């Protein structure tokens, strides 16, 4: 399966407008944003766990990173409330689920295969003092990519080069970008060489942003 698999093109998806699709596990549904592959795929997805649902135990051969958007994600390593950013690098294992239910934004098979840096962070706790109405948290940085979380005050602007590509998820509020209104749940991907020029709306904005990584995009090595 290929979905938004041409990484040389700009893509905008308003995920809240997509229908939920059932996964192979009962009670776990998803909204696909981009994908290369079948059930084993390089994938970017919004996943919803119904209360009491879970996946079977599995190993993340190609790594997994995710943000908890609402509810509480759970596995044998603990409880992960809304606002948590998690990186589970290649070779890590878990049995995910959620007793109260949750929604996560998850990326699979997008790690350096030698990465072994596993961690969790409360994104808001990592924010530095705002500069010109923008507070920034660096969640992860290596030679391949930089992952940040940003709070924009109402009317604040954010300009970034998309060297290596850029990906953005609106977690809260809204922004205007290139004439488009992006609201909570909107996902934007810009190709290598592009640029981001965003202005926050009246409610400000909370943004997850990754840069540099799209030049490494490839199908999973299976």
């Amino acid at each position: 399966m290929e979905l938004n698999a041409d990484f040389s093109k700009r893509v905008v998806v308003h995920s809240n407008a997509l229908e939920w699709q059932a996964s192979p596990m009962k009670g776990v549904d998803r909204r696909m944003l981009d994908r290369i592959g079948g059930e084993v795929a390089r994938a970017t997805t919004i996943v919803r766990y119904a209360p009491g649902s879970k996946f079977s135990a599995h190993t993340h051969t190609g790594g997994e990173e995710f943000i908890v958007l609402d509810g509480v994600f759970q596995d044998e390593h603990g409880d992960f409330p809304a606002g948590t950013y998690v990186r589970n690098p290649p070779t890590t294992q878990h049995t995910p689920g959620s007793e109260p239910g949750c929604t996560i934004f998850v990326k699979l098979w997008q790690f350096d295969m030698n990465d072994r840096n596993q961690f969790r962070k409360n994104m808001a706790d990592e924010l530095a003092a705002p500069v010109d109405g923008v507070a920034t948290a660096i969640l992860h940085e290596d030679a391949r990519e930089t992952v940040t979380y940003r709070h924009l005050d109402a009317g604040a602007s954010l300009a970034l080069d998309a060297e290596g590509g850029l990906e953005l998820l609106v977690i809260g509020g809204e922004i205007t970008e290139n004439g488009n209104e992006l609201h909570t749940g909107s996902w934007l991907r810009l190709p290598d060489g592009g640029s981001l020029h965003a202005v926050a709306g009246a409610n400000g904005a909370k943004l997850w942003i990754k840069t540099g990584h799209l030049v490494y995009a490839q199908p999973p090595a299976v």
Side-chain angles (χ1 to χ4, degrees):
M1 177 181 179
E2 291 194 354
L3 174 66
N4 294 324
D6 185 347
F7 296 94
S8 68
K9 293 183 177 180
R10 182 181 188 274
V11 180
V12 175
V13 178
H14 301 293
S15 70
N16 289 349
L18 300 178
E19 295 293 331
W20 289 104
Q21 302 179 31
S23 80
M25 289 294 180
K26 182 179 179 180
V28 182
D29 300 318
R30 56 197 178 185
R31 290 167 166 163
M32 299 181 187
L33 304 178
D34 70 15
R35 195 173 189 91
I36 304 174
E39 281 308 316
V40 176
R42 182 209 183 277
T44 305
T45 314
I46 305 290
V47 179
R48 180 181 66 182
Y49 285 79
S53 61
K54 63 180 181 180
F55 255 97
S56 55
H58 57 269
T59 299
H60 287 294
T61 305
E64 167 198 66
E65 69 178 318
F66 63 90
I67 307 164
V68 184
L69 300 175
D70 63 51
V72 180
F73 179 92
Q74 298 170 312
D75 63 17
E76 58 268 46
H77 305 297
D79 292 352
F80 303 78
T84 305
Y85 172 67
V86 180
R87 287 180 72 92
N88 291 326
T91 75
T92 55
Q93 304 176 20
H94 69 162
T95 307
S98 180
E99 283 303 314
C102 71
T103 307
I104 65 173
F105 168 77
V106 60
K107 300 178 69 62
L108 300 173
W109 274 100
Q110 297 177 44
F111 274 67
D112 179 341
M113 294 303 291
N114 294 315
D115 189 343
R116 295 295 182 269
N117 183 21
Q118 184 176 24
F119 64 82
R120 59 185 286 183
K121 292 181 178 179
N122 180 304
M123 296 191 296
D125 288 347
E126 302 293 318
L127 287 168
V131 177
D132 295 329
V134 180
T136 301
I138 298 177
L139 302 175
H140 173 77
E141 190 169 23
D142 61 26
R144 292 164 55 104
E145 64 186 28
T146 300
V147 183
T148 60
Y149 176 58
R150 308 197 187 223
H151 276 201
L152 277 63
D153 293 340
S157 61
L158 178 65
L160 295 172
D161 291 331
E163 183 177 355
L166 180 148
E167 192 173 341
L168 177 154
L169 178 71
V170 182
I171 297 174
E174 62 280 326
I175 60 172
T176 300
E177 190 278 331
N178 197 32
N180 294 302
E181 292 186 3
L182 306 183
H183 43 76
T184 301
S186 295
W187 175 77
L188 167 70
R189 197 182 70 202
L190 299 177
D192 178 27
S195 59
L196 174 75
H197 298 278
V199 179
N203 298 311
K206 299 177 181 179
L207 310 176
W208 176 91
I209 300 173
K210 182 194 284 272
T211 57
H213 61 305
L214 294 180
V215 293
Y216 302 101
Q218 59 184 359
V222 296

